[in-house]
């Protein structure tokens, strides 16, 4: 059974701190995505990771992929309030279907 | 970039009525579109895969007679929730796959359905 699990599910952190969100998946995937979702809104694409060892950074967010461990991380550096949102990872299989992680709800406290 | 729109953004209907949601790819052709459902504070669950000109493929546990999908053209897929009930209230998100963008999927803004 294909599973995509995120850890933690809920995260509250102070501004200026660092933290890492983990995404584990159970079956080989051809790519890994990270999305941001604000309340009542759809998904905003953050990163697409294509191969083992891939690392991408945008502002205070950095994503990495270890296909051997079937693990992706989303690292938050010096968090700011604007980063408060729910973050989803998703894997793509067979070039077609997406499977979404459980989501991590992040609240950054001033 | 590839843009996907949904209409309506928000709909409230009475129990027992049917509601149609449209998903359009605005600047690309989408041979495949996907429909997801998201309950509050939960992840997205794939409901069905819609292929232009053929029948949709439904995920296990999704009633095809209740959630009618029509992919009549390369830019439009519709989801009709028939005889809607309060438990169908959810956020419905579509995505469209773009061949021009290496088969990446682009997500619509979502439709919030509330059934009274």
């Amino acid at each position: 059974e294909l599973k995509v699990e995120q850890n933690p599910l809920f995260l509250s952190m102070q501004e200026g701190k660092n933290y890492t969100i983990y995404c584990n998946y159970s079956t080989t995937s051809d790519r890994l995505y990270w999305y941001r979702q604000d309340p009542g809104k759809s998904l905003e694409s953050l990163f697409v990771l294509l191969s083992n060892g891939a690392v991408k950074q945008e502002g205070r967010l950095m994503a990495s992929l270890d296909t051997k461990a079937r693990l992706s991380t989303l690292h938050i550096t010096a968090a700011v309030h604007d980063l408060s949102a729910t973050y989803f990872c998703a894997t793509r299989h067979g070039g077609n279907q997406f499977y979404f992680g459980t989501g991590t709800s992040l609240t950054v406290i001033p | 970039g590839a843009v996907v729109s949904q209409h309506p953004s928000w709909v409230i209907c009475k129990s027992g009525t049917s509601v149609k949601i449209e998903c359009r790819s605005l600047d690309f052709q989408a041979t495949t579109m996907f429909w997801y459902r998201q309950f509050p504070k939960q992840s997205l669950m794939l409901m069905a895969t819609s292929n232009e000109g053929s029948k949709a493929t439904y995920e296990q546990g999704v009633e095809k007679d209740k959630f009618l999908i029509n992919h009549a053209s390369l830019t439009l897929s519709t989801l009709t929730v028939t005889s809607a009930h309060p438990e169908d209230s959810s956020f419905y998100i579509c995505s469209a796959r773009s061949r021009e963008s290496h088969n990446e999927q682009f997500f619509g803004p979502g439709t919030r359905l509330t059934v009274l």
Side-chain angles (χ1 to χ4, degrees):
Chain A
E1 184 189 347
L2 196 151
K3 285 185 179 179
V4 183
E5 294 182 334
Q6 287 178 236
N7 181 44
L9 298 180
F10 295 93
L11 173 60
S12 179
M13 58 191 292
Q14 284 191 307
E15 278 191 331
K17 299 291 187 182
N18 306 330
Y19 206 83
T20 300
I21 299 170
Y22 296 89
C23 173
N24 288 92
Y25 53 99
S26 61
T27 308
T28 303
S29 164
D30 55 32
R31 51 187 65 187
L32 191 293
Y33 301 79
W34 283 96
Y35 294 93
R36 167 183 173 142
Q37 186 179 39
D38 290 294
K41 300 290 177 68
S42 189
L43 303 177
E44 175 190 347
S45 178
L46 296 175
F47 301 106
V48 181
L49 303 169
L50 303 179
S51 59
N52 188 43
V55 177
K56 289 194 175 180
Q57 182 164 4
E58 182 72 36
R60 300 175 188 274
L61 300 178
M62 183 173 71
S64 67
L65 178 62
D66 180 344
T67 57
K68 292 179 183 175
R70 295 180 185 160
L71 170 69
S72 179
T73 62
L74 181 66
H75 186 73
I76 303 157
T77 302
V80 293
H81 180 68
D82 286 350
L83 290 181
S84 297
T86 299
Y87 293 85
F88 290 97
C89 65
T91 58
R92 193 180 85 168
H93 299 267
N96 211 16
Q97 286 194 320
F98 275 43
Y99 293 90
F100 283 85
T102 43
T104 297
S105 176
L106 169 65
T107 303
V108 181
I109 306 166
Chain B
V3 179
V4 177
S5 71
Q6 281 184 242
H7 174 78
S9 304
W10 183 43
V11 56
I12 300 175
C13 69
K14 287 186 177 179
S15 189
T17 60
S18 296
V19 174
K20 181 187 283 189
I21 303 170
E22 292 184 351
C23 176
R24 291 183 187 272
S25 57
L26 297 186
D27 50 3
F28 65 98
Q29 293 185 334
T31 53
T32 305
M33 291 184 173
F34 304 86
W35 287 96
Y36 296 85
R37 180 167 53 184
Q38 185 181 33
F39 292 110
K41 300 200 183 297
Q42 293 190 23
S43 188
L44 279 73
M45 297 298 294
L46 178 66
M47 298 174 66
T49 302
S50 167
N51 295 298
E52 187 266 337
S54 64
K55 289 183 179 180
T57 304
Y58 290 82
E59 294 299 299
Q60 196 171 11
V62 178
E63 299 174 58
K64 63 180 181 182
D65 295 329
K66 180 167 185 63
F67 298 100
L68 300 178
I69 291 172
N70 188 312
H71 194 152
S73 76
L74 287 172
T75 59
L76 173 65
S77 176
T78 60
L79 169 68
T80 302
V81 183
T82 62
S83 188
H85 290 281
E87 56 265 31
D88 298 324
S89 298
S90 186
F91 194 47
Y92 291 86
I93 302 175
C94 74
S95 70
R97 190 172 73 169
S98 167
R99 247 184 299 189
E100 291 81 9
S101 301
H102 307 289
N103 287 328
E104 287 298 345
Q105 287 189 32
F106 298 90
F107 289 83
T111 296
R112 183 160 302 284
L113 169 64
T114 301
V115 185
L116 302 177

